[in-house]
């Protein structure tokens, strides 16, 4: 799917960027570009990829995660991009399912009944951030809408795309920016010269769009934030590699 070191991966709707990080660190691509519209998520990537990884990881390590401190950092207006990044990571760690959408509540019992701090692993987070810092010269970040990028770079054969948009059903609950023209996204994908892999919820509307544009679709089992198994769709030009 990724094509090797002569290819550049474009991860649209990047979020946590796990596909980019895996592809770069495993040398499945030579370089990658992540695109994300959410300003809070963008602050994290701009900080890590902009040379502030050490500051961010140190602040995470020294942050005393109590309900009082969490309420304080999330109620304040950040004075810089890196302060916004720190607040975003704290919010991701203490909200249900790591959801950043407005109105989401804090975890109650958490993992193993540890409550608010059950997903707060500062040393692990620091290690991950510093590992990303080691490969940041191979990763570019763009804060903005992925649609114009797909239009502009559709004919570049050196690009491969991972497209993971907000899903039809869960998008509004999970993301700040969830309104997507799904038909337009499929149309743009059909014009891409490079290979792509798209993920979606297993809905009839999406299956119909995949069929309309001549894409292959396969169901794969996934676990959601409640650890229950559900089927999602992988969509692409050729998914024979899955078998």
């Amino acid at each position: 799917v990724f094509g090797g070191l002569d290819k550049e991966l474009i991860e649209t709707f990047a979020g946590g960027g796990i596909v980019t990080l895996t592809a770069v660190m495993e040398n499945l691509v030579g370089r990658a570009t992540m695109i994300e519209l959410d300003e809070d998520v963008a602050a994290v990537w701009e900080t890590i990829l902009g040379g502030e990884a050490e500051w961010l990881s140190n602040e995470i390590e020294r942050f005393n995660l109590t309900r009082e401190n969490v309420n304080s950092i999330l109620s304040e207006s950040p004075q810089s991009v890196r302060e916004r990044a720190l607040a975003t990571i704290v919010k991701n760690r203490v909200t249900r399912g790591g959801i950043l959408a407005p109105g989401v509540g804090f975890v109650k019992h958490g993992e193993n009944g540890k409550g608010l701090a059950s997903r707060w692993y500062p040393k692990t987070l620091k290690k991950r951030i510093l590992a990303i810092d080691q490969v940041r010269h191979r990763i570019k970040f763009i804060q903005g809408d992925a649609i114009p990028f797909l239009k502009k770079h559709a004919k570049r054969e050196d690009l491969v795309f991972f497209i993971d948009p907000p899903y039809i059903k869960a998008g509004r609950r999970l993301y700040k920016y969830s309104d997507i023209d799904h038909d337009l996204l499929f149309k743009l994908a059909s014009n891409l010269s490079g290979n792509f892999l798209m993920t979606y919820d297993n809905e009839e509307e999406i299956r119909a769009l995949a069929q309309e544009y001549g894409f292959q679709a396969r169901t794969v089992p996934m676990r959601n934030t409640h650890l229950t198994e559900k089927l999602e769709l992988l969509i692409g030009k050729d998914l024979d590699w899955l078998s």
Side-chain angles (χ1 to χ4, degrees), residues 31-51:
R31 58 206 176 279
T33 293
M34 293 190 294
I35 306 170
E36 173 59 53
L37 185 58
D38 188 296
E39 299 89 348
D40 293 329
V41 178
V44 175
W45 290 119
E46 288 167 352
T47 299
I48 296 174
L49 300 176

Side-chain angles (χ1 to χ4, degrees), residues 17 128 173 183 218 235:
R128 289 176 182 172
R173 177 176 60 86
D183 184 79
R218 301 282 190 275
I235 299 167

Side-chain angles (χ1 to χ4, degrees), residues 9-15 17 20 32-38 41-42 45 139-150 153 161-162 164:
L9 170 66
I10 308 300
E11 184 172 4
T12 61
F13 313 101
T20 286
T33 293
M34 293 190 294
I35 306 170
E36 173 59 53
L37 185 58
D38 188 296
V41 178
W45 290 119
I139 303 173
K140 178 181 178 181
F141 178 77
I142 298 173
Q143 192 274 319
D145 187 351
I147 298 300
F149 187 97
L150 291 172
H153 299 283
F161 298 83
F162 179 69
D164 182 28

